[in-house]
């Protein structure tokens, strides 16, 4: 069932009464291909003696691309901010570098979403075994694509205690990319006629990607590059060089798309429907989006969460964060270009809402 969030009450009742303790950790497991995966991370716990039964805890899951344990972006370290705040409010966290990043081994370029789900499961199992942690109260928090990975993980692991999805896609990735390109280029102040050309390119590019049969990676890149360049020439017909550059319809852009979209990760992600996995979850869920998020549209993705979870018999809540962007910063427009110029990510209100929701679910 859905719970109504009383944000003002949470802001009044939450406190930061605990100090924190950080510990460097290494977690190892074998993936589906038999490779030994070594993940380096940081365990952050409230300082002092754990309560009877142990601290609640969660694994923090980064967004798209290879990222370090702090999810560093535009000069911000959202996951360090989250870990510090949660520890001060009685919640432990584990955050790890992605494969091939920082202290973690392996290569990120050849992973699929399911490889990352296996990494998440190993982190969850490790965290649940830590002394002072309540094994029955270990959940997942994912940001952006990490929110979807949290959903996939919880659908597989019925022991996950809860999921917090921050700006996570609940619509198929193709639709998310179309919506994202529409908003990102619109916020750059370009005329609708140019933005519509960009969106049409993305829409048709997804069809081209879907139509090309599977083959080895290098051959796939070449075939995609050829197909996307032909599509670019068609969509950009009649535009000036400056207009083409403004909306990314260039030869270099097409090659970049071919490389990105031919990766095992993206080819797999494009065929995942988040609603299928949301419907399989059996734990409480809290989904938050920034009202001005240009990367994962708030209205459509929160609606998709509600539709997938309504009537499923689990506790769930959604929160629209007014005036905030994809990094949950207070902002003016939500444009990507603003991120580096703005304040804390995530904002205090968001941190308090997450901690309050977790504590409320555990108390119940």
């Amino acid at each position: 069932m859905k719970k109504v969030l009383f944000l003002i009450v949470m802001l009044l009742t939450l406190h930061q009464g605990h100090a924190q303790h950080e510990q460097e950790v290494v977690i190892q497991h074998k993936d589906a291909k038999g490779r030994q995966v070594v993940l380096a991370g940081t365990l952050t716990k409230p300082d002092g003696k754990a309560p009877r039964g142990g601290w609640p805890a969660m694994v923090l899951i980064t967004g798209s691309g290879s990222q370090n344990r702090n999810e560093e972006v535009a000069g911000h370290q959202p996951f360090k901010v989250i870990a510090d705040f949660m520890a001060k409010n009685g919640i432990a966290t584990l955050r790890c570098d992605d494969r091939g990043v920082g202290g973690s081994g392996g290569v990120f370029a050849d992973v699929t979403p399911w490889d990352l789900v296996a990494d998440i499961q190993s982190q969850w199992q490790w965290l649940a075994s830590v002394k002072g942690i309540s094994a029955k109260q270990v959940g997942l928090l994912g940001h952006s694509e990490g929110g979807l990975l949290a959903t996939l993980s919880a659908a597989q692991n019925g022991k996950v205690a809860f999921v917090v999805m921050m700006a996570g896609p609940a619509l198929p990735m193709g639709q998310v990319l179309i919506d994202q390109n529409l908003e990102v280029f619109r916020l750059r102040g370009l005329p609708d006629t140019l933005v519509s050309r960009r969106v049409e390119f993305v829409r048709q590019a997804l069809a081209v990607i879907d139509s090309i049969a599977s083959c080895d990676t290098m051959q796939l890149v070449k075939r995609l590059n050829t197909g996307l360049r032909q599509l670019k020439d068609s969509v950009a017909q009649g535009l000036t060089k400056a207009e083409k550059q403004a909306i990314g319809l260039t030869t270099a852009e097409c090659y970049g798309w071919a490389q990105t979209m031919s990766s095992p990760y993206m080819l797999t992600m494009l065929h995942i429907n988040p609603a299928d996995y949301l419907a399989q979850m059996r734990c409480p869920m809290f989904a938050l989006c920034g009202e001005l998020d240009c990367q994962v549209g708030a209205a459509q993705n929160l609606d998709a969460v509600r539709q997938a979870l309504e009537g499923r018999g689990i506790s769930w809540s959604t929160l629209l964060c007014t005036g905030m962007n994809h990094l949950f910063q207070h902002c003016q427009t939500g444009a990507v270009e603003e991120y580096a110029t703005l304040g804390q990510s995530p904002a205090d209100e968001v941190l308090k809402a997450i901690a309050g929701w977790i504590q409320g679910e555990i108390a119940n």
Side-chain angles (χ1 to χ4, degrees):
M1 65 178 177
K2 182 179 180 181
K3 287 189 175 180
V4 178
L5 293 178
F6 294 99
L7 187 55
I8 294 176
V9 173
M10 286 191 287
L11 294 180
L12 291 174
T13 59
L14 276 170
H15 59 86
Q16 298 188 37
H18 299 279
Q20 63 192 49
H21 172 73
E22 286 196 342
Q23 174 187 346
E24 295 297 299
V25 302
V26 175
I27 300 167
Q28 300 185 47
H29 74 101
K30 283 191 176 181
D31 67 12
K33 301 180 180 70
R35 298 172 297 192
Q36 187 74 18
V37 180
V38 179
L39 301 172
T42 302
L43 171 66
T44 306
K45 295 191 297 183
D47 207 0
K49 185 179 179 180
R52 185 177 180 180
W55 304 107
M58 57 186 174
V59 176
L60 307 186
I61 307 166
T62 64
S64 59
S66 55
Q67 296 185 307
N68 67 22
R69 68 191 73 185
N70 294 327
E71 203 192 34
E72 289 190 43
V73 58
H76 299 281
Q77 297 182 325
F79 278 11
K80 179 166 178 51
V81 171
I82 291 172
D84 290 349
F85 185 91
M86 295 302 151
K88 292 172 183 175
N89 283 280
I91 301 167
T93 59
L94 171 66
R95 62 192 196 275
C96 288
D97 298 324
D98 290 340
R99 292 194 196 191
V101 179
S104 294
V107 179
F108 190 87
D110 64 354
V111 302
T112 71
W114 298 112
D115 291 323
L116 298 185
V117 167
D119 291 353
I120 294 163
Q121 301 289 27
S122 71
Q123 293 172 63
W124 183 92
Q125 291 170 359
W126 183 91
L127 184 57
S129 71
V130 172
K131 183 179 179 181
I133 299 297
S134 170
K136 294 182 179 180
Q137 297 178 347
V138 179
L140 305 171
L141 179 150
H143 176 236
S144 195
E145 272 184 36
L148 174 54
L149 294 174
T151 299
L152 301 182
S153 300
Q156 281 191 357
N157 182 359
K159 294 183 179 181
V160 169
F162 59 86
V163 167
V164 178
M165 186 163 76
M166 299 180 67
L171 293 169
M173 190 56 62
Q175 186 60 54
V176 172
L177 287 172
I178 290 170
D179 294 342
Q180 182 182 103
N181 275 265
L182 173 63
E183 286 302 306
V184 167
F185 284 88
R186 181 186 65 80
L187 286 171
R188 291 178 182 173
L190 298 174
D192 290 345
T193 51
L194 281 184
V195 174
S196 64
R197 296 270 193 129
R198 173 69 187 189
V199 171
E200 186 57 28
F201 169 78
V202 174
R203 193 185 307 277
Q204 292 191 40
L206 292 168
V208 169
I209 293 163
D210 195 49
S211 69
I212 294 178
S214 177
C215 55
D216 69 84
T217 302
M218 288 303 298
Q219 186 63 25
L220 185 57
V221 171
K222 290 179 180 178
R223 293 180 64 183
L224 271 180
N225 189 38
T226 298
L228 294 179
R229 287 178 65 181
Q230 291 172 347
L231 173 60
K232 177 261 297 180
D233 291 340
S234 172
V235 173
Q237 191 171 8
L239 297 181
T240 66
K241 182 179 179 179
E243 289 173 330
K244 293 176 185 177
Q245 290 177 335
I247 55 174
L249 295 187
T250 64
T251 299
E253 171 90 357
C254 288
Y255 183 66
W257 259 70
Q259 287 187 305
T260 299
M261 303 306 283
S262 62
S263 70
Y265 185 89
M266 284 305 301
L267 289 175
T268 304
M269 187 62 81
L270 286 170
H271 291 91
I272 290 175
N273 184 357
D276 295 338
Y277 298 92
L278 283 164
Q280 294 175 36
M281 287 176 45
R282 291 296 176 264
C283 64
M285 181 176 206
F286 185 24
L288 309 82
C289 280
E291 177 192 22
L292 302 180
D293 190 335
C294 68
Q295 293 183 254
V296 178
Q300 57 267 47
N301 283 281
L302 288 180
D303 280 347
V305 169
R306 296 182 191 110
Q307 291 173 19
L309 298 182
E310 192 74 61
R312 295 288 177 181
I314 64 172
S315 173
W316 59 274
S317 298
T318 61
L319 179 63
L320 179 66
C321 299
T322 306
M324 294 189 190
N325 60 19
H326 188 63
L327 299 187
F328 294 91
Q329 300 166 292
H330 293 285
C331 64
Q332 296 299 314
T333 69
V336 174
E337 291 78 7
E338 282 186 328
Y339 295 171
T341 69
L342 300 172
Q344 180 179 298
S345 167
D348 280 342
E349 302 96 301
V350 174
L351 296 169
K352 292 173 183 177
I354 293 170
W357 179 83
I358 293 170
Q359 291 168 349
E361 286 299 329
I362 290 171
N364 293 330

